[in-house]
Amino acid sequence: MRYSILAVLMACAVLVSATASYAVAEDMTFQPRGRALVTGVEARDEAWDFITNLFITNVSESDVTCRVTVYDHDGKDVSSLCNVFTGNRIGAPVQLRAGNGSFALPPGATRMVRIWAQGMVPVVFGHAVIEWTAADAQTDKALIAAIKTVRSGGGGTYGFMSQVNGGQPF
């Protein structure tokens, strides 16, 4: 009996170690070459909707991969609230991804990352981290970004916009 318990405990230890190693390896696949911190993220769905949109533009000549990670007031990752959109010549923005803030961004292109979900239960007061990587080793600064907060309800929509990183590429 003692050996059975010991074998189970050892198997659990191996499983935990393997899981931890996999998590580290998974994080290593995206090695950021640049990042910017965005403060003032607010999102909630009530009588008034509070929506944060991040507009991210690739100012480099290389394709980049972006990742937006959103943290709530307790530092918990709530990036599942991210939805990535592109523009549209007619009508509303086109959603490219839902529930994830990772996306490819060609040179000169802009994407909008909306931090909000219809009927969302959490109230998010927090921050976001925008990171990027590129295969081209010569690319040192690839992105510029802006944050736009929109409040809508009661028959009106109000908003403001400000530059991330002082409007400087990162």
Side-chain angles (χ1 to χ4, degrees), residues 93-110:
V94 176
Q95 187 170 4
L96 300 175
R97 291 194 70 139
N100 186 315
S102 296
F103 56 97
L105 191 58
T110 300

Side-chain angles (χ1 to χ4, degrees), residues 66-88:
C66 297
R67 179 172 67 184
V68 176
T69 308
V70 180
Y71 299 94
D72 69 7
H73 54 276
D74 289 326
K76 178 183 171 194
D77 184 340
V78 292
S79 301
S80 62
L81 295 173
C82 290
N83 299 288
V84 180
F85 294 84
T86 188
N88 189 356

Side-chain angles (χ1 to χ4, degrees), residues 20-122:
S21 297
Y22 176 77
V24 169
E26 187 177 23
D27 288 341
M28 298 299 275
T29 59
F30 186 90
Q31 297 180 356
R33 303 248 317 272
R35 76 177 51 169
L37 180 65
V38 182
T39 60
V41 169
E42 179 178 9
R44 57 182 157 165
D45 186 14
E46 318 182 310
W48 282 76
D49 293 333
F50 292 78
I51 303 168
T52 295
N53 296 317
L54 299 173
F55 293 87
I56 303 170
T57 302
N58 181 353
V59 294
S60 77
E61 295 180 11
S62 303
D63 288 327
V64 299
T65 301
C66 297
R67 179 172 67 184
V68 176
T69 308
V70 180
Y71 299 94
D72 69 7
H73 54 276
D74 289 326
K76 178 183 171 194
D77 184 340
V78 292
S79 301
S80 62
L81 295 173
C82 290
N83 299 288
V84 180
F85 294 84
T86 188
N88 189 356
R89 295 198 189 282
I90 54 171
V94 176
Q95 187 170 4
L96 300 175
R97 291 194 70 139
N100 186 315
S102 296
F103 56 97
L105 191 58
T110 300
R111 299 291 180 262
M112 179 182 75
V113 179
R114 175 171 289 158
I115 305 166
W116 180 80
Q118 182 74 37
M120 63 184 281
V121 174

